[in-house]
Amino acid sequence: QVQLVESGGGLVQAGGSLRLSCAASGRTSVYAMGWFRQALGKEREFVAAISWSGGNTYYADSVKGRFTISRDNAKNTVYLQMNSLKPEDTAVYYCAKARGSVPFRGPDGYDYWGQGTQVTVSS
């Protein structure tokens, strides 16, 4: 019912910035949204989440102060601004729709996922 498409990934040098976008085909404004990432050989991990209104945001400790999640409900789009990127940020980044209006830190709290966009940070 809901389809999510990520974009904005690419290759960037350490210390650089990228802005990821997640466009939804259906209306997602009443649901919380999240970003996850999965590095090669590792499990998918939580990155950030945002409430339905955008008033509450949550971040993994590893990205606090560097990443910012935001949303534009009128455009049905969620963003992840990534600054001061490090090589350990290299991963496939996925956006996801939560099952409700409250953000979750675990993947079980999300019922729709995008196909991911690759972010590669060089040393």
Side-chain angles (χ1 to χ4, degrees):
Q1 184 175 356
V2 175
Q3 291 188 326
L4 307 174
V5 180
E6 302 95 337
S7 63
L11 176 64
V12 64
Q13 295 184 21
S17 299
L18 286 173
R19 184 177 178 86
L20 305 183
S21 298
C22 175
S25 62
R27 296 298 299 173
T28 59
S29 60
V30 299
Y31 299 100
M33 298 289 291
W35 285 95
F36 291 76
R37 66 186 182 186
Q38 186 168 21
L40 185 64
K42 297 184 178 180
E43 296 184 354
R44 189 169 299 186
E45 67 173 346
F46 170 79
V47 175
I50 187 168
S51 63
W52 72 271
S53 66
N56 295 304
T57 57
Y58 305 88
Y59 299 93
D61 289 341
S62 60
V63 305
K64 285 182 179 178
R66 300 189 299 120
F67 291 9
T68 302
I69 187 172
S70 62
R71 68 190 302 167
D72 186 338
N73 287 339
K75 296 182 178 180
N76 211 23
T77 302
V78 182
Y79 305 96
L80 185 68
Q81 179 66 47
M82 310 165 66
N83 298 327
S84 301
L85 283 163
K86 305 175 181 179
E88 50 263 46
D89 294 319
T90 296
V92 177
Y93 283 71
Y94 301 88
C95 68
K97 184 190 79 65
R99 297 181 184 275
S101 61
V102 178
F104 300 91
R105 301 183 74 91
D108 289 344
Y110 300 82
D111 55 2
Y112 289 94
W113 296 79
Q115 292 186 320
T117 185
Q118 177 70 49
V119 172
T120 302
V121 184
S122 62
S123 301

